[in-house]
Amino acid sequence: DEVLHLIARVKLSKYEIAQRIFWHGVCGDVELGDLDFLIQQNEDMLYAPDNVPDSDFKRQLQRFEMIQQERRSSRGLARSISLYPPGRITHLVKTGQTKNCLHGLAGCITCGASNAGAEYTPIQKENDDFNEIEISPTLWTDHFPNRVCIEIERIAQRFGIDTTLGSP
């Protein structure tokens, strides 16, 4: 839902947004930690949530939300059971990014959907921390089995665990 509301708030064309993301993200003339710059960019690209002009998309979104609410109401309480993953969960949180020419190129070629160079930290999480699915540009690549295996091996090595095949 949040993504649809963001789309309704966009002031610029897709081309202009892509240009800004490419110029500032890939070319790296601004650090991601520059909060003032990021806030200004959001203000330049998005209408305020309470000041979105009328458009076909906004009307379609309102109609969609009304239909979804009607469906939720008609299902009753039986469909509002929360489901969570079982077992103990160690969540790999992206905590850094190695920057070099290769990683910048991978980000450019994949339109930002590459997680090349991402650094992860394991964090113990509670099951009910996973009550929603977050859609991100790297959602798929973050969860590829080969990628997850590589990251688990890297983390194990940082803790001094032997990851060679057949080790005890």
Side-chain angles (χ1 to χ4, degrees):
D1 289 350
E2 191 175 334
V3 172
L4 295 175
H5 286 274
L6 282 173
I7 292 170
R9 294 176 50 203
V10 172
K11 294 179 185 178
L12 308 175
S13 70
K14 290 182 269 187
Y15 176 76
E16 290 171 304
I17 291 172
Q19 225 178 359
R20 285 180 183 216
I21 291 170
F22 177 79
W23 184 253
H24 297 298
V26 176
C27 295
D29 65 340
V30 173
E31 285 295 317
L32 289 179
D34 187 350
L35 191 56
D36 291 332
F37 175 79
L38 295 174
I39 290 170
Q40 185 60 50
Q41 286 294 299
N42 281 346
E43 288 176 2
D44 291 348
M45 291 190 285
L46 300 172
Y47 291 106
D50 56 348
N51 196 25
V52 179
D54 192 40
S55 67
D56 286 339
F57 183 82
K58 183 179 176 183
R59 287 188 296 279
Q60 291 170 353
L61 178 58
Q62 290 168 336
R63 176 83 176 123
F64 170 75
E65 288 175 328
M66 186 178 70
I67 291 169
Q68 290 299 96
Q69 185 57 43
E70 289 171 1
R71 288 181 179 172
R72 280 188 207 103
S73 297
S74 69
R75 290 181 191 141
L77 294 175
R79 295 286 261 180
S80 62
I81 298 170
S82 298
L83 300 175
Y84 303 105
R88 294 177 59 190
I89 298 173
T90 301
H91 182 61
L92 300 181
V93 178
K94 235 180 259 183
T95 54
Q97 182 74 30
T98 304
K99 277 201 163 198
N100 66 32
C101 185
L102 177 62
H103 297 142
L105 180 62
C108 181
I109 292 171
T110 63
C111 296
S114 170
N115 57 4
E119 297 170 359
Y120 298 87
T121 300
I123 297 180
Q124 200 71 34
K125 298 292 268 187
E126 296 298 322
N127 302 63
D128 59 1
D129 289 335
F130 296 92
N131 60 351
E132 62 184 7
I133 297 173
E134 184 178 319
I135 307 298
S136 73
T138 58
L139 171 76
W140 305 113
T141 55
D142 285 343
H143 294 90
F144 282 165
N146 60 330
R147 181 75 178 153
V148 172
C149 182
I150 290 168
E151 291 307 322
I152 290 173
E153 286 177 350
R154 282 185 188 156
I155 290 167
Q157 289 168 355
R158 281 193 290 184
F159 284 95
I161 299 170
D162 184 9
T163 61
T164 57
L165 192 59
S167 62

